[in-house]
Amino acid sequence: MKVFIIGVAGGVGRRVAEQLAEAGDEPTGLVRRPEQAAALAASGVRTAAGDLVAMSVDELAEAMRGSDAVVFSAGAGGRDSDDATTQVDGDGPGKLAAAAKLAGVRRFVLVSVFPEAWRERRMDAAFERYMVQKKKAETHLVLTGLDWLIVRPSALTNEPGTGRVDLGLAKTHTEIARDDVAATIVALLRAPHLKRLILEVTGGPTPIADAVEAMTGAPQ
Ligand SMILES: NC(=O)c1ccc[n+]([C@@H]2O[C@H](COP(=O)([O-])OP(=O)(O)OC[C@H]3O[C@@H](n4cnc5c(N)ncnc54)[C@H](OP(=O)(O)O)[C@@H]3O)[C@@H](O)[C@H]2O)c1
């Protein structure tokens, strides 16, 4: 399986790519810095230099042509400028979806966020803006004709993965290891019948393969 990943050098994206490469699949993606390309190449992940915001839809389509699926796991939210949050978190998935349509890649996985994430912490305006932009991206993606899948992980940690999650249409927001989010995305990529679903995933007791299998009967 050939998978094009935006955010391939990021926490979740890199783990998705590495897990795919280890399984013999072909992950590719765009990186903004040469040292990221070298690090990923060492794990068997091929990359090209590119920036989601700077590239045109045509250029993005060329970059992903021949892929079986696209994963959007980029993010600027909360760290970069408000403009970057809008351009990457808000407009990025729609732009990438337009490119996927052009390139004939139907399968599109968007890494999103629980709507209630950290609201109890009274986060700053930049975070609220990020949340609004993430939701905007969801509303855009569900209107495309693609075989989209929205995956909302709870708060991400760098703890080692457990291989177990709690996955479903609606879950309580807690936290989850990036390793486990990545493994869930890889398992979902291998279940193409699961599409046009918004799934929430958080730390939990269910082996990832079973959790994904259990989604087969979910309403679509
Ligand atoms: N943090 C959380 O607790 C949390 C919770 C729920 C959902 N999420 C979502 O989960 C996803 C993954 O989060 P993460 O923390 O693992 O990600 P991350 O480590 O912050 O990585 C994000 C990646 O996006 C890339 N990126 C940003 N702007 C880009 C652009 N214009 N063109 C190309 N790439 C660009 C970054 O590239 P550079 O390396 O060049 O900067 C980075 O590698 C994100 O979509 C995030 O919104 C996060």
Side-chain angles (χ1 to χ4, degrees), residues 1 7 25 32 49 76 99 134-136 140 143 148 158 162 182:
M1 181 169 48
D25 294 292
R32 298 194 287 182
K134 292 292 276 190
K135 187 61 189 293
K136 184 176 92 179
H140 189 118
L143 294 177
W148 55 265
N158 289 330
T162 62

Side-chain angles (χ1 to χ4, degrees), residues 68-90:
D68 300 298
V70 174
V71 175
F72 185 102
S73 188
R79 278 190 321 265
D80 298 338
S81 65
D82 281 353
D83 279 355
T85 301
T86 302
Q87 291 170 324
V88 176
D89 299 292

Side-chain angles (χ1 to χ4, degrees), residues 8 14 20 22 25 29 35 55 57 67 73 89 124 127 136 142 162 165 169 174 190 193 199 207:
V8 71
R14 176 176 57 77
L20 285 168
E22 208 173 306
D25 294 292
E35 65 270 22
M55 288 169 79
V57 169
S67 299
S73 188
D89 299 292
D124 62 12
F127 184 82
K136 184 176 92 179
V142 301
T162 62
V165 296
L169 299 181
T174 57
R190 300 198 193 290
H193 58 287
L199 299 176

